[in-house]
Amino acid sequence: EPEVTQTPSHQVTQMGQEVILRCVPISNHLYFYWYRQILGQKVEFLVSFYNNEISEKSEIFDDQFSVERPDGSNFTLKIRSTKLEDSAMYFCASSGSGANTGELFFGEGSRLTVL
Amino acid sequence: KNEVEQSPQNLTAQEGEFITINCSYSVGISALHWLQQHPGGGIVSLFMLSSGKKKHGRLIATINIQEKHSSLHITASHPRDSAVYICATQGGSEKLVFGKGMKLTVNP
């Protein structure tokens, strides 16, 4: 069964360091997303990406965050200068035809710990 | 702003019981998703609904658009159903708004 894969599964970093979280969406999918879940809280939308550009972003997704699809298979989330409050589980998701017409597939998540 | 509320927040059941998880939301939506989050944190999509009812195995999801309410039913529950069940709504964009989730524990 096709799946979304994320790496690393867990990353520990020092405050102020740059972090790149990687995702390989399902190969024929066109819509890509990043969500995050701070421990004990709701899952929150960060950004959606379609046709090689950001289609929507939340207020959380400020200038410290960026996304890229560098090679047609990977979808990355970069946090330029991490803060303590960036500690969370980050989920990548993809969809073939958009989340309101097709199923969403989530990765297992990347746990980021900022010290 | 859409608010998504789930009830109950926690539920403990005995194996074999019929379980209902409720979700209500505050504004009109284009779709509602039911998701399952495993203890390790991974999220699996169970259903995407825009109207009516869907069934997959022992799981049934319904939605009432007029009442802004959806339910997820689990028939003949099993300990492997133990997980957090999350309702998430979608408006006119790709963004999902998530509920807090309901932690289900099914005891043998």
Side-chain angles (χ1 to χ4, degrees), chain B residues 60-75:
Chain B
I60 303 166
T62 64
I63 188 168
N64 185 318
I65 298 293
Q66 286 72 32
E67 294 189 5
K68 297 185 176 63
H69 182 269
S70 177
S71 294
L72 177 69
H73 306 285
I74 305 174
T75 61

Side-chain angles (χ1 to χ4, degrees), chain B residues 87-105:
Chain B
C87 165
T89 62
Q90 188 169 11
S93 71
E94 292 297 312
K95 170 185 173 181
L96 262 61
V97 176
F98 285 73
K100 285 185 179 177
M102 191 219 74
K103 184 176 179 181
L104 173 66
T105 304

Side-chain angles (χ1 to χ4, degrees), chain A residues 31 33 35 37 42-45 48 55-56 89 91 98-104 106-108, chain B residues 3-4 30-31 33 35 37 40-43 45 48 86 90-91 93-96 98-100:
Chain A
Y31 295 79
Y33 314 86
Y35 287 86
Q37 186 177 33
K42 295 182 186 184
V43 178
E44 301 172 287
F45 170 80
S48 59
S55 51
E56 188 174 1
M89 181 79 97
F91 292 100
N100 63 349
T101 57
E103 189 177 353
L104 267 180
F106 285 82
E108 288 292 309
Chain B
E3 300 288 340
V4 179
S30 60
H33 297 253
L35 307 157
Q37 186 167 30
I43 296 174
S45 176
M48 189 275 294
I86 303 172
Q90 188 169 11
S93 71
E94 292 297 312
K95 170 185 173 181
L96 262 61
F98 285 73
K100 285 185 179 177

Side-chain angles (χ1 to χ4, degrees), chain B residues 4-15:
Chain B
V4 179
E5 300 291 335
Q6 289 188 240
S7 63
Q9 290 192 336
N10 292 280
L11 179 64
T12 299
Q14 288 300 120
E15 184 172 356

Side-chain angles (χ1 to χ4, degrees), chain A residues 26-109:
Chain A
I26 293 170
S27 62
N28 60 349
H29 281 187
L30 301 175
Y31 295 79
F32 313 109
Y33 314 86
W34 283 101
Y35 287 86
R36 80 171 186 189
Q37 186 177 33
I38 294 170
L39 188 64
Q41 297 188 21
K42 295 182 186 184
V43 178
E44 301 172 287
F45 170 80
L46 291 178
V47 66
S48 59
F49 191 88
Y50 170 73
N51 201 24
N52 284 321
E53 61 183 21
I54 291 173
S55 51
E56 188 174 1
K57 60 183 181 180
S58 71
E59 57 275 11
I60 303 166
F61 195 89
D62 62 20
D63 292 344
Q64 294 300 314
F65 290 87
S66 63
V67 288
E68 213 178 25
R69 189 156 159 78
D71 56 12
S73 61
N74 290 283
F75 179 51
T76 61
L77 174 69
K78 183 192 289 187
I79 309 174
R80 194 174 343 148
S81 177
T82 50
K83 305 176 191 141
L84 296 176
E85 55 265 36
D86 294 327
S87 295
M89 181 79 97
Y90 288 82
F91 292 100
C92 173
S94 71
S95 174
S97 55
N100 63 349
T101 57
E103 189 177 353
L104 267 180
F105 291 81
F106 285 82
E108 288 292 309

